Amino acid sequence: MADEKKPAGQALQEQLSQLTDQVQGSQAWSSIFRPGSIFRKGYNDSPRNRSYVIMNSVLYHLHPVKVKRHAVKVSYTLCLGGLSFFLFILLTVTGIFLMFFYRPTAAQAWDDIQTLQTAVGFGLLVRNMHRWTAHLMVLTVFLHMARVFYHGAYKPPREFNWVVGVMLLQFTLLLSFTGYLLPWDQLALWAVTVGTNMMGFTPVFGEQVRFVLLGGVEIGTDTLLRWYTLHVLMLPFVLVIFLAVHFWRVRKDGGISGPL
Amino acid sequence: MTEIPEHLRKRAEAAKAKAQAAAGGGDAPAGDAPAGDTPAAEEKIPSHLLDRTTAASDQPAPTAGGTAAPAAGSGPDGHNQRLLTVVKSGSIQDTKATPQDKVHVWPHLLLAEFLAALAITLFSLLFSIFVNAPLLELADFNKTPNPSKAPWYFLGLQELLTMFHPMVAGVTIPGIGLFVLILAPYIDKNPSKRPEDRKFAISLMTVHLMFWAVLVMIGSFFRGPGFNFIFPWNSGLFFEL
């Protein structure tokens, strides 16, 4: 029995490795996976391939090929900036899911969310994730700012990136605040009422800003549409632009700040 | 602590071995060379060049090129050769920048990032499975909840509103706070990044952060109906996320 099984297993193994060779050797495969991809034929762990992994990937090439050794220490950055960005991606993904089931009118918004939670597969879970990660992102962005300050990482040549970072914190707050109204429940309505009343006290143009944001003198269905557009389109769009500048400046200013 | 990457160390070792082998080969003719012709320059001038000059000076010198030159004459192939100077490598190839200790992003950084992303995904997934986001009853303009609270990150502002005129609490204080925050790198001229050199900056920021954190805490947990001060352990929580 054992004699028969072993050759059979070996033959299978040979066939499999042959198949792997064929697939990895095909033109289609090697056109998809650029040199340095760990899926490419003949990938081995060499300094050249380690560089190629970063250079030849549209996502990873946000990073330099090499970083200072202390920059990879989790105890220095606590991953807070990266986690904020990752939470933003997570919020985009869950937010797109929510958009399929939501209409931003006073007559439909609340019902849509009720339906989403009770009748749509994973609807409740995805909404929960969207809300909790939003709160979490406000927290991580805030902590990231504190971390950067305590490390003195805003000092030359990184002054301007700090300014961009403070702007990003404000966009994060605005994104969270505009999303707060969308469920159109008692919590949303009155939290936003309190918030926008504060806005009205801005000198000179406070009333005008409030009017433009609310689409009227009071919160209503027009407000919902405006905040929805701000929340799903305009603010994320502006935030991504600032994010691009933020990441780009991190590299241009010489990578993350040095050890203390 | 500062570990040199594996491949660099190998390369350095190979280069060192090669240099040693070359130096060993070069020493042999130096031993044969007659000493005493150029005693002062002996240790500075490479041995094979010394060899050549001594060989040249042994031959009958047709011309005397310069007084400073130790030897001048026709070389082995009949050329006139003169050793003007020997530039030691240290004087012109001095590297001033110390090489930085760097590691490859893949796998060292990407792995950490991947694990962090995985951990936070797992955390938010589990949290979302067990805790539901609030959805109160439909918005009603005629029913003002008591208390009405802003989102938690604005509760510090709402707390200030109880103490100051709205113009001060809603605009002046947060406006100045934000303005100073943005200008922090231009105000703080201290070039040092070491915590012990920037006690004032760190204290100021800590007070600033604590100011908002405490106000948010009070607004979140210690304000009840009518936004009056309460203790959550007596009156319960009036807080929705």
Side-chain angles (χ1 to χ4, degrees):
Chain A
M1 280 294 275
D3 294 335
E4 276 176 33
K5 248 190 178 177
K6 203 180 172 188
Q10 264 179 348
L12 191 68
Q13 217 166 31
E14 264 168 39
Q15 270 183 333
L16 270 177
S17 68
Q18 225 168 25
L19 186 71
T20 314
D21 275 357
Q22 267 176 356
V23 170
Q24 287 197 323
S26 71
Q27 190 186 357
W29 190 271
S30 53
S31 73
I32 294 168
F33 298 103
R34 290 182 50 92
S37 167
I38 55 170
F39 304 112
R40 202 176 161 92
K41 190 173 186 175
Y43 175 87
N44 58 342
D45 188 22
S46 64
R48 175 200 283 262
N49 272 339
R50 284 180 175 199
S51 307
Y52 274 155
V53 165
I54 304 300
M55 288 192 286
N56 284 344
S57 159
V58 68
L59 186 63
Y60 300 154
H61 93 278
L62 280 174
H63 287 303
V65 165
K66 279 180 155 192
V67 289
K68 288 174 262 177
R69 183 176 292 272
H70 92 95
V72 300
K73 277 172 89 178
V74 174
S75 60
Y76 185 75
T77 60
L78 304 173
C79 287
L80 285 166
L83 282 181
S84 305
F85 179 50
F86 182 72
L87 286 173
F88 179 72
I89 294 171
L90 216 56
L91 281 161
T92 309
V93 173
T94 51
I96 289 172
F97 177 89
L98 295 178
M99 279 175 77
F100 285 120
F101 306 100
Y102 178 82
R103 288 163 293 179
T105 65
Q108 294 160 318
W110 190 86
D111 286 327
D112 282 350
I113 293 198
Q114 185 69 24
T115 311
L116 171 82
Q117 294 198 154
T118 50
V120 176
F122 298 107
L124 179 62
L125 180 71
V126 175
R127 177 172 177 246
N128 288 347
M129 276 190 80
H130 193 74
R131 191 163 187 112
W132 298 137
T133 46
H135 286 310
L136 203 58
M137 183 177 160
V138 173
L139 205 67
T140 54
V141 171
F142 175 80
L143 292 176
H144 175 59
M145 184 193 72
R147 194 285 288 175
V148 165
F149 188 93
Y150 286 124
H151 282 161
Y154 57 83
K155 302 200 169 192
R158 299 185 178 80
E159 311 101 304
F160 184 66
N161 218 12
W162 166 268
V163 176
V164 176
V166 176
M167 299 305 288
L168 283 170
L169 170 68
Q170 290 180 62
F171 286 127
T172 308
L173 289 177
L174 281 176
L175 267 169
S176 179
F177 190 49
T178 49
Y180 219 80
L181 181 70
L182 303 186
W184 203 245
D185 61 349
Q186 280 289 75
L187 180 63
L189 176 64
W190 294 100
V192 169
T193 304
V194 172
T196 50
N197 278 345
M198 279 191 253
M199 230 181 288
F201 290 112
T202 314
V204 188
F205 47 80
E207 278 304 314
Q208 282 83 344
V209 169
R210 189 167 175 274
F211 188 87
V212 169
L213 276 177
L214 295 190
V217 288
E218 274 198 337
I219 296 175
T221 192
D222 292 332
T223 318
L224 199 50
L225 180 60
R226 285 188 185 204
W227 286 42
Y228 177 74
T229 311
L230 284 174
H231 184 75
V232 303
L233 203 67
M234 189 179 146
L235 288 173
F237 186 76
V238 178
L239 186 125
V240 165
I241 291 173
F242 274 74
L243 214 54
V245 175
H246 199 61
F247 292 164
W248 180 72
R249 283 301 293 249
V250 169
R251 301 246 337 234
K252 291 294 157 187
D253 296 341
I256 80 162
S257 61
L260 291 178
Chain B
M1 194 190 76
T2 50
E3 205 181 314
I4 300 164
E6 187 67 26
H7 68 282
L8 283 184
R9 194 169 50 224
K10 273 185 193 157
R11 201 188 292 166
E13 273 167 7
K16 206 182 279 177
K18 204 173 160 189
Q20 253 168 9
D27 276 345
D32 301 341
D37 278 5
T38 51
E42 190 163 41
E43 54 187 22
K44 287 181 187 171
I45 300 168
S47 47
H48 65 279
L49 289 177
L50 260 182
D51 268 327
R52 206 188 288 166
T53 48
T54 46
S57 61
D58 285 345
Q59 285 177 2
T63 50
T67 48
S74 55
D77 299 329
H79 298 294
N80 282 335
Q81 292 187 346
R82 193 165 66 166
L83 182 63
L84 288 175
T85 181
V86 174
V87 181
K88 289 184 78 186
S89 66
S91 59
I92 53 167
Q93 293 173 319
D94 201 9
T95 43
K96 294 215 167 60
T98 46
Q100 266 187 326
D101 188 21
K102 287 192 162 188
V103 291
H104 272 102
V105 164
W106 167 257
H108 299 285
L109 182 57
L110 285 188
L111 197 67
E113 282 178 347
F114 178 72
L115 288 180
L118 207 61
I120 201 139
T121 310
L122 201 67
F123 171 77
S124 53
L125 188 68
L126 286 177
F127 196 84
S128 301
I129 287 172
F130 293 111
V131 187
N132 283 338
L135 182 67
L136 309 187
E137 61 269 37
L138 181 66
D140 187 347
F141 289 95
N142 301 316
K143 257 198 333 199
T144 311
N146 192 10
S148 294
K149 288 189 177 183
W152 63 272
Y153 37 86
F154 287 151
L155 280 180
L157 286 177
Q158 202 178 348
E159 187 61 30
L160 282 177
L161 276 174
T162 62
M163 305 179 215
F164 301 104
H165 183 270
M167 178 72 189
V168 176
V171 181
T172 315
I173 294 179
I176 289 174
L178 203 62
F179 197 60
V180 171
L181 198 65
I182 286 179
L183 293 182
Y186 306 100
I187 297 169
D188 181 7
K189 296 285 186 191
N190 178 4
S192 174
K193 285 178 185 170
R194 291 148 47 109
E196 53 267 40
D197 295 339
R198 30 196 310 263
K199 284 181 179 143
F200 179 70
I202 286 180
S203 318
L204 202 66
M205 186 62 169
T206 308
V207 168
H208 184 217
L209 295 183
M210 283 302 114
F211 172 77
W212 290 109
V214 168
L215 283 184
V216 166
M217 290 286 200
I218 294 176
S220 302
F221 305 122
F222 294 89
R223 291 290 176 179
F227 217 66
N228 291 315
F229 193 86
I230 52 132
F231 286 111
W233 46 89
N234 290 336
S235 319
L237 269 181
F238 296 89
F239 180 62
E240 292 273 10
L241 267 173

